Amino acid sequence: MKKIIIVFIMIVSMGLITGASYWYFNNKPNTSVISYSDDLYLIIEDIVIDEGQPVLHIDNEVYFNYSFLKEYIDENLFYDKNEETVIFTSKDKVKRFKIDEIVGSVNSKEFFIDDPIRLIDDNIYIPMKLFKDDYDISINYFDETNAVVIDYTDVYYLTGSVILENGVIRSDMDIKAPIVKDNLVINGTVNVYGEFEKWLKVRSNDGILGFVEKKYIRLNYKKDIYKTELESREEKTNIKDKINLTWDYTYSKVKYTDNIKPIPGINVISPTWFSIIDTEGNLQDKGNKDYVHKYKEMGYELWPLIDNSFNPDLTHELLHSSSTREKVILNIEKTYKDYGFDGINIDFENVYLKDKDLLTQFVRELYPIFKENNMIVSMDVTTISTSENWSLCYDRQRLHESLDYMMLMAYDQHWASSPNAGSVAEYSWVEKGLKGVLKEIPNEKLILAVPFYTRLWLVEPNKISSQTISMEAANKFVKDNEIVTVWNENFGQYYGEITKNDIDYRIWLEDGKSLEYKISLIHKYDLAGVASWRKGFETENIWNSIDKALN
């Protein structure tokens, strides 16, 4: 929400505001009996909004211009022009309304409305009753002055009481200035917005702005105006300690669950079971309910991963239509409820930069649906870089508002086809990436994701290539080739190399010590926990190393 900031100052130039308010107070068009009229004027706190037509009377209901609402009340308000649908999103609701239709929906459940959204002269107008209870605002309409007044309910406003008779509000700080409201009632109150040598800038209770001589008003200060009410932190999950999640990668449909056993320290399992595979929102489902039951019986939460098949064209088709987004979200919800999951992990990667805002809107529309089902909503993001499809496509600052947790995939510093050999995730690079993301995401929502893999680099005279290998395979390569590894404090890793047949083999190892270094960052920056990619790439001692470092 964009607020008009109230600043109590001694000297301010009021010419433009005064002129605008005087015009509204003295030159309002005559009211006529038509389907809609523009005889209203709008005030936010002490500012007259006179650009365009921010408010209209339509069938005796006050309607607000969509552009005004988006600029001043809710920057996340969304309009799908192709489908003529306005969408409001909050932490617990996603509300959809089509222009001229008397049926809307809350969290995809339909209900009837008395006054539909209208399109007038290519401007969208939304009835006050559809949104006024969703924001920290109060909206009042005063028939006698035709004023529509908006105040913020979470802001302290200084008031003044009228203490002398014959008090009047004038259009300017001049005893000869026109009177815009006379006969202020003794003991009546006004809002006070500025104090000058002999004048106060005020707004009457019926929406008249102007200036009154100070002698007529006694200011009503509150002793505790800076006291804020502490809200109790809502428990997001049943987990009491730091989150310790591991992704369980599955290649195909899970058929056997006999190998499931407890994992030391882990409290969340995220099987990679789901991919969106077409524009109808159909899912590839590799899940198994016995798997779910067994892990739940052992006390684990399950937040399965769902991805976009890493297909930017498919993702664009899914995101650009509000009805398609809704269909996809409901398909995912139905599947996750049927399995009885505790949460969801969204892994949308390789997304066009042009779809950045639509990706955010998708998450904003999904979040209330899953919270209604008491499920945790988490999402994976990369470190900040110049890559459009892999980093710039995430509006991290707006995304976290509709997420319980965000997993920072702090790996692939040097990726499979990197032009230079190097570490997957050296300590200094991880910390730098973490600090960059923390400028946009609160630390209590951020989970640091660490790798269980490394890359074996093959450096030839005119060619560099790599192989992704597990911890066990890396240790075997080092042992079989009798490589002497050396600890590098800056990397936070052991490094080794060997030359065979004119090929330089280079490796930066991930092991218990390197992971303990990275996990120490969770305490340094008080993060929500750790995630690991992926189960099956670790050596047996890793779980205890992570648990020890985390707790």
Side-chain angles (χ1 to χ4, degrees):
M1 181 186 296
K2 177 181 176 181
K3 294 185 178 178
I4 304 294
I5 304 299
I6 300 299
V7 182
F8 201 61
I9 56 175
M10 298 303 294
I11 299 176
V12 66
S13 173
M14 303 305 304
L16 291 175
I17 295 173
T18 301
S21 59
Y22 179 78
W23 188 94
Y24 270 90
F25 301 146
N26 295 279
N27 296 280
K28 298 190 297 294
N30 294 326
T31 303
S32 55
V33 183
I34 55 177
S35 59
Y36 71 91
S37 61
D38 58 358
D39 59 343
L40 304 182
Y41 66 94
L42 176 63
I43 298 174
I44 300 183
E45 298 174 324
D46 66 329
I47 304 296
V48 175
I49 307 298
D50 57 357
E51 299 175 5
Q53 293 180 329
V55 284
L56 289 179
H57 247 147
I58 304 178
D59 297 333
N60 296 316
E61 171 68 24
V62 176
Y63 276 67
F64 283 79
N65 184 290
Y66 169 86
S67 297
F68 161 78
L69 291 176
K70 189 170 180 68
E71 180 175 358
Y72 289 96
I73 304 299
D74 183 1
E75 66 178 358
N76 293 308
L77 191 60
F78 187 88
Y79 178 59
D80 186 325
K81 186 175 182 179
N82 292 329
E83 298 182 3
E84 296 190 327
T85 301
V86 175
I87 304 173
F88 294 83
T89 52
S90 65
K91 289 189 178 298
D92 59 351
K93 295 176 186 174
V94 51
K95 297 163 63 172
R96 290 180 171 86
F97 304 98
K98 282 185 174 290
I99 289 175
D100 290 332
E101 291 195 6
I102 60 170
V103 176
S105 69
V106 174
N107 292 356
S108 298
K109 300 174 182 65
E110 292 188 341
F111 67 97
F112 288 98
I113 57 179
D114 296 326
D115 301 292
I117 292 176
R118 304 291 179 88
L119 185 64
I120 299 172
D121 296 331
D122 293 325
N123 289 301
I124 302 163
Y125 284 91
I126 303 169
M128 178 175 70
K129 63 179 67 174
L130 292 186
F131 67 86
K132 68 182 181 68
D133 295 329
D134 294 328
Y135 304 101
D136 294 325
I137 57 175
S138 66
I139 306 177
N140 293 289
Y141 165 60
F142 301 98
D143 183 62
E144 62 274 17
T145 59
N146 281 330
V148 178
V149 177
I150 295 178
D151 287 316
Y152 299 102
T153 57
D154 58 349
V155 171
Y156 167 74
Y157 295 107
L158 181 64
T159 64
S161 297
V162 180
I163 57 174
L164 294 176
E165 293 182 348
N166 301 318
V168 297
I169 299 177
R170 297 182 181 275
S171 65
D172 207 342
M173 293 181 287
D174 189 327
I175 196 67
K176 296 180 181 180
I179 295 172
V180 294
K181 185 176 180 64
D182 57 10
N183 298 321
L184 295 179
V185 178
I186 295 289
N187 295 324
T189 60
V190 292
N191 277 17
V192 180
Y193 296 99
E195 181 178 7
F196 307 90
E197 186 175 349
K198 294 181 180 180
W199 297 86
L200 296 173
K201 184 188 180 189
V202 300
R203 191 191 75 205
S204 68
N205 287 334
D206 55 357
I208 301 298
L209 279 170
F211 299 87
V212 63
E213 290 181 86
K214 289 172 68 173
K215 65 183 180 181
Y216 291 99
I217 303 294
R218 182 188 67 241
L219 298 179
N220 302 323
Y221 293 105
K222 285 187 179 180
K223 294 180 180 179
D224 59 347
I225 62 173
Y226 297 110
K227 184 178 179 181
T228 57
E229 197 173 305
L230 293 175
E231 296 180 357
S232 58
R233 280 186 70 182
E234 183 180 345
E235 194 71 32
K236 294 191 181 81
T237 174
N238 294 324
I239 298 166
K240 304 301 180 185
D241 299 318
K242 296 284 189 184
I243 289 169
N244 188 349
L245 174 149
T246 192
W247 283 289
D248 187 4
Y249 182 78
T250 50
Y251 295 94
S252 57
K253 186 78 173 178
V254 175
K255 296 180 180 179
Y256 307 105
T257 60
D258 294 340
N259 60 342
I260 289 177
K261 56 185 178 181
I263 308 171
I266 291 293
N267 46 31
V268 182
I269 306 288
S270 181
T272 61
W273 285 352
F274 303 105
S275 296
I276 301 171
I277 56 175
D278 59 34
T279 55
E280 295 299 310
N282 292 312
L283 307 181
Q284 179 187 24
D285 180 352
K286 297 179 285 188
N288 182 302
K289 288 189 176 180
D290 285 341
Y291 177 108
V292 177
H293 295 152
K294 286 189 176 183
Y295 273 120
K296 283 205 163 199
E297 285 176 359
M298 289 187 283
Y300 298 104
E301 290 193 8
L302 283 99
W303 307 352
L305 178 147
I306 184 166
D307 64 44
N308 60 332
S309 296
F310 298 174
N311 183 329
D313 294 315
L314 170 63
T315 305
H316 174 75
E317 291 302 312
L318 293 171
L319 295 179
H320 89 281
S321 161
S322 60
S323 59
T324 302
R325 290 195 306 271
E326 183 178 23
K327 183 190 297 184
V328 170
I329 290 168
L330 293 179
N331 281 352
I332 300 170
E333 179 209 18
K334 182 178 182 298
T335 301
Y336 275 55
K337 282 176 65 177
D338 184 53
Y339 273 100
F341 295 140
D342 304 286
I344 182 173
N345 179 235
I346 303 166
D347 187 29
F348 277 32
E349 301 182 48
N350 197 17
V351 178
Y352 289 132
L353 179 59
K354 66 182 180 181
D355 293 328
K356 177 178 183 174
D357 291 339
L358 291 175
L359 176 60
T360 301
Q361 184 64 20
F362 172 80
V363 175
R364 291 189 65 85
E365 292 173 13
L366 177 144
Y367 186 80
I369 304 299
F370 274 70
K371 298 315 290 183
E372 192 173 57
N373 291 287
N374 297 313
M375 282 190 258
I376 298 299
V377 180
S378 65
M379 184 175 183
D380 309 330
V381 297
T382 60
T383 56
I384 297 172
S385 75
T386 58
S387 173
E388 292 188 354
N389 284 25
W390 299 91
S391 179
L392 298 180
C393 60
Y394 300 118
D395 189 340
R396 297 166 182 81
Q397 196 159 6
R398 290 181 62 219
L399 279 168
H400 84 73
E401 296 171 357
S402 299
L403 293 168
D404 295 310
Y405 298 106
M406 199 175 262
M407 281 69 165
L408 176 62
M409 298 182 288
Y411 37 76
D412 279 353
Q413 174 186 0
H414 294 86
W415 56 100
S417 57
S418 175
N420 301 303
S423 170
V424 167
E426 66 184 54
Y427 175 86
S428 57
W429 177 85
V430 171
E431 183 171 28
K432 181 181 178 182
L434 178 60
K435 289 166 70 175
V437 170
L438 282 173
K439 294 177 181 177
E440 301 182 358
I441 303 170
N443 61 312
E444 68 270 15
K445 284 190 174 184
L446 194 61
I447 293 173
L448 180 64
V450 298
F452 281 174
Y453 67 94
T454 188
R455 289 198 167 92
L456 175 61
W457 292 92
L458 288 68
V459 180
E460 303 175 63
N462 299 306
K463 180 182 176 184
I464 296 178
S465 60
S466 70
Q467 302 170 9
T468 301
I469 58 177
S470 67
M471 289 181 175
E472 187 173 343
N475 291 341
K476 185 175 186 303
F477 180 83
V478 169
K479 182 179 179 181
D480 289 349
N481 290 277
E482 298 180 345
I483 298 173
V484 176
T485 59
V486 179
W487 178 260
N488 184 300
E489 194 69 26
N490 185 54
F491 293 164
Q493 291 175 298
Y494 285 101
Y495 169 76
E497 62 180 52
I498 189 173
T499 301
K500 295 173 63 176
N501 301 322
D502 295 326
I503 299 175
D504 291 336
Y505 294 86
R506 302 174 186 176
I507 192 164
W508 286 259
L509 294 173
E510 291 291 355
D511 60 7
K513 187 175 180 180
S514 70
L515 291 180
E516 285 180 21
Y517 260 58
K518 286 188 256 287
I519 290 171
S520 71
L521 294 169
I522 293 170
H523 302 297
K524 183 175 181 179
Y525 295 98
D526 195 19
L527 307 182
V530 65
S532 50
W533 180 267
R534 62 178 179 84
K535 181 177 176 291
F537 274 4
E538 76 285 353
T539 51
E540 190 174 347
N541 66 316
I542 287 301
W543 301 120
N544 287 324
S545 295
I546 292 176
D547 188 35
K548 179 182 176 182
L550 194 61
N551 297 306

